[in-house]
Structures are given as structure tokens and as C-alpha cells.
Amino acid sequence: LVAQLNQQLSGSGVSARINSTDGAVEFVGGAFSIASTGGATLTGTDNAFLTNDTLNHINQQTYTTTTGAQTLQFTVGGVTTNVTLATGVTLAGAVSAINQAMNSKGIYALSDGTGIDFQGNSAFTAQVTAGGANGGFGAVQMATATSSVAPTVSGSGTNAATNAIQAINSALTTLGNIQGTVGAGQNKLQYAINLATSQITSFSAAQSRIRDADVAAEAANLTKAQVLAQASLAAMAQANSAPQQVLSLLKG
């Protein structure tokens, strides 16, 4: 059974194993949930939905579609992040919004179709800071800062070592997500810099062409003015010489 499960779970980050204490099949890995389908019965606090309690977790928070905006506040390692759920956000929409904001910080929201579980690589708190009466998580759940439950660690030395390896793998996954976010931000910044540089070059070239055209026009205007001035002087000289010519004829 374990071999078949692991074959089908390959690449998912989740694996099955046999508990060394009671011989039961257990699942380990990153954040995950197991929903019961086809009438199967699962053991645990919720017979229809199991989550990975080897991570820090806040389980089984019921949720209804919001009737007004609601704000959640997550604190991980002293860093606070607010997640706003707008009016009319459904359960699936809430899971998506929370994961979009919190996955890079190592917090994951999972749903069994009626409620939401939070799982994290590190200890965290969750709290409804605004809109508690607007549906969503309601006015009672997480009304104050709710701390995550510490992960359940097996007493077996082998299992403890395996849990440590899984914690490291989860941390590496989180680091990879953060690096991806930072890399995407760097690419956007570099694109903005390149675009600004291109625009500055285009503006400078256009300004240069405009200025060159103005100089040429002014030079033409100056030449025209000089020609007109010279023509005026010649006409005035010609007019002044006419009386003298008449006097010369009279003298003759």
C-alpha cells in the first residue's frame, strides 16, 4: 500500500510511510490535506478531512461568504501581513486570496469545502482585525490573535530525523518561492529602467532635431532681413541721386 501511494504521490512533496510505533500508515511532507471520498473513513479530529499536523497549524476554521469586507492579519517571525477579503468572497476565493498573499511567507490555507485550515513552516498567529460581523470567519473565530499549534513530532529517533529533514525541505521550498518573487521584482525593475533609458534617448533625439530645425529657420530669417536692409539702402541712395541729376541738366 505504501509503495503504491508513494508511486502516485511522486513529485507532490508528500509521501506515505509506516509509523514505527503503531504500524499505521501516515503521510508526511509539506502543507497538504486528505479529503475522504467514496465513503472512506479517516481517523483524526475530523473524519472527513485530515491535515498535516507535523507543521504549525490552526485547524478547522469555519467560513461563510462575506457580506462585507473583512481583514485578516497574519504575523510570522515578527512580520505582519494583512489580507483583505472583499464583499462576496466565497470559501474558494478566500483560500486563493490568502495563499496568494501568504505562500511566500510559508503559510498555506487548505479547505475541505466547509472550513479552512492554516499550516505553516514556522510558528504564526492569525487574527480578524476588521469586519468580524461581515461573515467570513465571523466575529468569534480569531477575534484575538490566535497562535498556531506546534507541530506533532514522533518520539522515534528515526521519525524525528525525518521530520527535521522535511522541515528543511519546507524551508528550502519557501526560500525558493521568495527567490522567485524577488527575481520577478528584479526583472520588472530592470524592464522599467530599460524603458526609461529608451524614452530618455528618444526624447533627447527629438529635442535635438527640433532645436536644429529652429536654428536653420532663424538663419534663413536673418539672411532675408539682411537682403531687405541692403535693398532699402540701395533704393534710398538712388532716390537721393535723382535731384542732383536734374540740377546738372539745368546747369547745362
Side-chain angles (χ1 to χ4, degrees):
L1 174 61
V2 170
Q4 291 183 23
L5 289 170
N6 285 330
Q7 182 179 5
Q8 297 182 59
L9 290 171
S10 177
S12 68
V14 178
S15 62
R17 69 185 184 190
I18 299 176
N19 186 286
S20 60
T21 302
D22 57 15
V25 175
E26 60 185 11
F27 297 89
V28 294
F32 68 86
S33 63
I34 305 173
S36 174
T37 59
T41 301
L42 302 176
T43 60
T45 56
D46 181 355
N47 287 334
F49 189 66
L50 294 181
T51 55
N52 185 8
D53 289 345
T54 62
L55 297 178
N56 296 274
H57 55 277
I58 300 175
N59 288 345
Q60 296 302 305
Q61 302 298 302
T62 57
Y63 184 90
T64 58
T65 301
T66 56
T67 58
Q70 186 175 80
T71 301
L72 307 178
Q73 184 180 87
F74 293 88
T75 302
V76 186
V79 178
T80 297
T81 303
N82 290 324
V83 181
T84 299
L85 306 177
T87 303
V89 173
T90 62
L91 175 61
V95 170
S96 177
I98 294 169
N99 282 330
Q100 184 176 2
M102 300 304 303
N103 279 182
S104 63
K105 299 171 178 59
I107 303 299
Y108 307 90
L110 302 165
S111 175
D112 64 347
T114 59
I116 296 180
D117 286 10
F118 300 106
Q119 299 179 28
N121 299 321
S122 304
F124 65 94
T125 62
Q127 180 179 2
V128 175
T129 59
N134 296 334
F137 291 96
V140 178
Q141 294 183 117
M142 299 185 295
T144 58
T146 302
S147 299
S148 60
V149 178
T152 302
V153 180
S154 172
S156 165
T158 301
N159 286 346
T162 302
N163 289 334
I165 293 173
Q166 291 163 356
I168 293 173
N169 288 335
S170 296
L172 290 174
T173 300
T174 301
L175 177 61
N177 291 335
I178 294 174
Q179 288 177 329
T181 302
V182 172
Q186 288 178 330
N187 290 338
K188 291 180 180 179
L189 178 60
Q190 187 61 47
Y191 173 79
I193 292 173
N194 292 341
L195 179 61
T197 302
S198 175
Q199 290 176 338
I200 291 172
T201 302
S202 299
F203 291 155
S204 298
Q207 187 180 40
S208 176
R209 287 195 295 270
I210 292 171
R211 287 184 175 180
D212 290 344
D214 288 345
V215 170
E218 292 300 327
N221 290 335
L222 176 60
T223 301
K224 178 180 178 181
Q226 290 175 338
V227 170
L228 290 175
Q230 292 174 358
S232 298
L233 291 173
M236 291 178 65
Q238 185 67 29
N240 289 334
S241 66
Q244 294 178 357
Q245 293 175 356
V246 173
L247 290 175
S248 297
L249 291 173
L250 293 176
K251 288 178 180 181

